[in-house]
Amino acid sequence: MIRHVLTLSLALCAAPAFAQQPAPPPGGADTLAAVRGRGQLACGVSTGVVGLSQADARGEWRGLDADICRAVAAAVLGDGGRVRFVPTTPQTRFTALQSGEVDILSRNTTWSFARDVPIGLSFVGVAMHDGQGFIVRREANLASARELDGATICLQPGTTTELNLADWARSNRITFTPVVIESFQEVTRAFFSGRCDAYTTDRSGLASIRVGQGPRAQDYVILPETVGAEPLGPLVRKGDPRWFDIARWTLNALIAAEEHGVTQANAEARAREDQNPEVQRLLGRTGEFGAAMGLDNAWALNAIRAVGNYGEIWQRNMQPIGLDRGANRLARDGGLMWSPPFR
């Protein structure tokens, strides 16, 4: 078999009281005012990944990433439905946020140094701990990705997938032929049509495309190796610290809600009746946490009522595609998901 060596480049890839409304951010950046002015949050999502962000038959966006945007909209505007979803590709996603086309980017994007420091964007936290993997046909009878030496592998450009794959192949002395296709839909179509021996992307994406094959899903196997860490999370523009705080603490509120057993169904009752000081602060019954960010003190309550807690979001979106929660369990359950305290 003819072997090809690939060189890939890095793709750019006691409760406090707050008496005053915060001043607008320096430099004139005020995303909160812009969102309130138009009455709608602009959210950058993927072009369609089941479980993360995909439009259903009615045009409604569903998925973990989409629900994070609904939570932010509910925190800011009091209504999780006031979101305009903007599909972006790996090549257009950062420009869409940098240019102001979207207010937040929530679309399976890996947190890395090159994306967090030099390009004017900031990750607000980890929405899902993921890792890169490989999917192959069951009939190939492969037990390990190390058996892919000499194979053709489909992948998308402008992603951390490129660098991870090159590093992994080099360290394992594996050579391969890349089939690089920009569109997620096209690259998956290429794999399922037999153009590639394997397809590599985040394991959440692999689970998504596999379940999308319906009865044919069992014809494909996700290999056991995880190639590199892929902490996925939402981003905002640098230079607007208040907006950064809103996005970060909305995500934290969803995780904290699961930690304290606050759900979409019981949130209102817990806000009225729960005597736990942390829950009182989380749900706006005590303290001035919302006012510190220029929001109503019921901001977190509104977010939880809109989409539920983190565990509910996972169960609704990721469980149906067969993705094990794993590292995305709460820290108390052996996972990596936790929230700083609301105090």
Side-chain angles (χ1 to χ4, degrees):
M1 180 180 292
I2 298 175
R3 296 179 176 178
H4 304 258
V5 178
L6 174 67
T7 301
L8 290 170
S9 60
L10 171 64
L12 278 180
C13 310
F18 305 95
Q20 297 180 332
Q21 289 287 100
D30 196 345
T31 308
L32 175 59
V35 171
R36 282 177 167 161
R38 78 175 85 96
Q40 188 179 60
L41 175 76
C43 171
V45 288
S46 72
T47 54
V49 180
V50 176
L52 294 175
S53 55
Q54 184 180 54
D56 63 18
R58 298 182 300 173
E60 294 289 329
W61 284 86
R62 306 294 180 191
L64 184 148
D65 288 337
D67 278 348
I68 289 174
C69 283
R70 289 191 175 92
V72 173
V76 172
L77 301 171
D79 183 353
R82 293 166 72 173
V83 183
R84 177 172 61 89
F85 292 99
V86 180
T88 64
T89 69
Q91 292 72 37
T92 65
R93 55 184 165 179
F94 300 128
T95 302
L97 183 56
Q98 290 164 331
S99 68
E101 180 183 359
V102 299
D103 306 305
I104 185 171
L105 184 66
S106 184
R107 52 95 63 224
N108 59 309
T109 298
T110 301
W111 190 348
S112 71
F113 181 95
R115 292 168 172 179
D116 195 45
V117 177
I119 63 174
L121 305 177
S122 292
F123 283 81
V124 303
V126 178
M128 184 168 74
H129 293 274
D130 207 345
Q132 185 175 330
F134 301 87
I135 189 171
V136 297
R137 292 168 190 79
R138 185 177 295 277
E139 64 185 18
N141 199 31
L142 300 180
S144 168
R146 292 181 176 84
E147 298 176 59
L148 290 172
D149 194 26
T152 56
I153 301 179
C154 278
L155 62 140
Q156 283 182 279
T159 65
T160 54
T161 300
E162 292 180 290
L163 182 63
N164 289 344
L165 181 59
D167 288 348
W168 174 82
R170 188 180 303 112
S171 63
N172 287 279
R173 298 183 179 180
I174 289 173
T175 59
F176 62 94
T177 302
V179 178
V180 183
I181 302 173
E182 180 173 330
S183 164
F184 177 76
Q185 286 73 23
E186 290 298 323
V187 72
T188 56
R189 190 175 298 120
F191 168 70
F192 288 119
S193 70
R195 187 173 169 185
C196 317
D197 299 312
Y199 171 53
T200 183
T201 191
D202 298 341
R203 297 183 72 85
S204 58
L206 298 181
S208 173
I209 63 168
R210 183 175 180 269
V211 77
Q213 295 301 298
R216 296 179 57 225
Q218 296 305 312
D219 295 342
Y220 300 91
V221 176
I222 298 174
L223 297 176
E225 285 86 356
T226 297
V227 181
E230 299 286 340
L232 310 181
L235 301 86
V236 296
R237 288 179 293 278
K238 290 187 188 296
D240 191 343
R242 178 167 65 182
W243 187 247
F244 175 87
D245 288 342
I246 290 170
R248 175 172 59 180
W249 283 95
T250 298
L251 177 58
N252 287 340
L254 302 177
I255 299 168
E258 183 181 10
E259 292 174 344
H260 293 287
V262 179
T263 68
Q264 189 173 31
N266 72 18
E268 288 191 41
R270 295 286 296 276
R272 292 192 307 267
E273 302 164 6
D274 200 298
Q275 299 303 308
N276 183 319
E278 181 87 351
V279 173
Q280 292 178 352
R281 293 189 291 266
L282 170 66
L283 300 180
R285 185 176 168 189
T286 62
E288 296 291 332
F289 287 73
M293 300 187 293
L295 304 179
D296 186 280
N297 283 330
W299 63 280
L301 173 60
N302 290 337
I304 297 161
R305 287 190 302 189
V307 298
N309 65 40
Y310 182 82
E312 291 178 290
I313 294 170
W314 182 279
Q315 185 175 19
R316 181 168 60 245
N317 297 299
M318 308 310 297
Q319 190 168 301
I321 67 173
L323 192 67
D324 182 74
R325 188 164 172 183
N328 297 292
R329 294 173 301 191
L330 295 178
R332 70 182 185 205
D333 299 326
L336 297 176
M337 300 302 293
W338 63 282
S339 168
F342 279 75
R343 66 169 64 99

